[in-house]
Amino acid sequence: MRIVLVGPPGAGKGTQAVRLAEKLAVPHISTGDLFRANISQQTELGKLAKSYMDAGNLVPDEVTIAMAKDRMEQPDAANGFLLDGFPRNVSQAEALDELLRTEGITLDAVLDLEVPEDEVVKRIAGRRICRKDSSHVFHVTYNAPKQEGVCDVCGGELYQRDDDREETVRTRLEVYHTQTEPIIDYYKAQGLVVTISSLGPVAEITERALEALKREKAENK
Ligand code: AP5
């Protein structure tokens, strides 16, 4: 399957993407994680991305699209992928459509995770991520690691993302509403959007998502 995950910062995209990718046997491609890996390796791309990310703004389309395209062209993504955080504005969505067209493939669904803003703020405030692999995500209350400050998966140190500071989160939410939300209408026009609530226990949301994707697939047959 080829799926795009969309939702505000803190909606649980990364949390669900890891679980859904495993169930659907496709790679989880997160542009945020790719940028964070570049930042920790201190690449030129990482240095460029950091200045935009720390301010809560989008990294320029040109570098983001090239990076996403390169990742989608890796052999493990030949039979499907779960995109998390890409596309993030209409021009990225158009670039993705163009890329899929040249490959002769299409998206199966755009999974839209809905969550109220006050919940988003609580989730982001308590989020801790692993320094070794930023797809290992915890929450100090909702999903606490067994040992404080240590990743359950790989033993890496847990830290708070630089862009999870309150003033940056406000900018990220604004950027989401003005630049990312319009892609939902863009994909609604293609009949691809499946909206689910991202409230409740993590495992229940995964089940909800899988059910919704199954229904969407059956309806589009
Ligand atoms: P990115 O890393 O994509 O961040 P985001 O979209 O803002 O999303 P988040 O990672 O904040 O949240 P999430 O929805 O994944 O939630 P999570 O699962 O962690 O992007 C960061 C930056 O990179 C951007 O601001 C931009 O600068 C740049 N960038 C990335 N892609 C780009 C692009 N395409 N173009 C341009 N720039 C780009 O969950 C949040 C917390 O809640 C966690 O602590 C988790 O444990 C907890 N939680 C999850 N589910 C539940 C639940 N059901 N109940 C209780 N707690 C829960």
Side-chain angles (χ1 to χ4, degrees):
M1 283 189 102
R2 294 183 181 88
I3 299 166
V4 167
L5 261 182
V6 65
K13 299 181 298 296
T15 302
Q16 291 303 325
V18 169
R19 300 168 61 87
L20 291 170
E22 197 189 331
K23 301 253 184 202
L24 300 169
V26 291
H28 164 207
I29 300 180
S30 155
T31 40
D33 286 345
L34 290 171
F35 284 133
R36 281 184 287 276
N38 273 280
I39 291 171
S40 66
Q41 288 154 19
Q42 299 182 356
T43 66
E44 285 307 312
L45 174 60
K47 284 178 205 156
L48 173 82
K50 187 168 169 40
S51 58
Y52 291 93
M53 290 169 79
D54 284 354
N57 292 317
L58 297 187
V59 179
D61 284 347
E62 202 183 65
V63 287
T64 304
I65 292 166
M67 178 182 75
K69 179 173 181 287
D70 182 60
R71 178 62 188 89
M72 278 185 275
E73 285 172 350
Q74 300 299 312
D76 66 339
N79 295 316
F81 46 69
L82 187 58
L83 295 179
D84 162 11
F86 181 85
R88 225 177 174 96
N89 58 28
V90 171
S91 57
Q92 291 182 12
E94 288 169 347
L96 175 62
D97 271 352
E98 184 55 32
L99 174 66
L100 296 176
R101 225 182 343 260
T102 56
E103 302 282 329
I105 51 182
T106 51
L107 288 176
D108 293 292
V110 173
L111 186 63
D112 168 30
L113 298 185
E114 260 187 357
V115 58
E117 207 136 301
D118 55 343
E119 175 69 13
V120 155
V121 171
K122 281 188 228 158
R123 288 186 185 180
I124 292 181
R127 171 167 47 198
R128 299 292 180 270
I129 67 165
C130 176
R131 229 176 251 294
K132 284 192 188 160
D133 183 336
S134 69
S135 73
H136 302 161
V137 179
F138 298 84
H139 189 282
V140 289
T141 318
Y142 304 139
N143 176 25
K146 290 191 188 82
Q147 191 186 337
E148 198 188 320
V150 180
C151 176
D152 286 354
V153 184
C154 69
E157 180 201 354
L158 298 182
Y159 76 105
Q160 185 161 31
R161 272 168 46 175
D162 288 342
D163 62 345
D164 279 353
R165 283 188 304 260
E166 201 185 322
E167 64 281 11
T168 314
V169 170
R170 249 182 272 128
T171 307
R172 286 165 59 203
L173 282 167
E174 204 180 298
V175 167
Y176 177 75
H177 292 310
T178 55
Q179 301 193 45
T180 307
E181 259 178 356
I183 73 168
I184 298 176
D185 281 337
Y186 176 89
Y187 285 124
K188 271 187 182 162
Q190 299 183 22
L192 287 171
V193 177
V194 179
T195 302
I196 62 160
S197 162
S198 188
L199 282 179
V202 167
E204 260 177 39
I205 299 165
T206 311
E207 284 311 310
R208 212 176 283 159
L210 290 169
E211 276 302 312
L213 291 171
K214 213 192 304 173
R215 267 199 310 276
E216 169 78 3
K217 204 175 173 188
E219 280 165 18
N220 285 340
K221 256 189 186 165

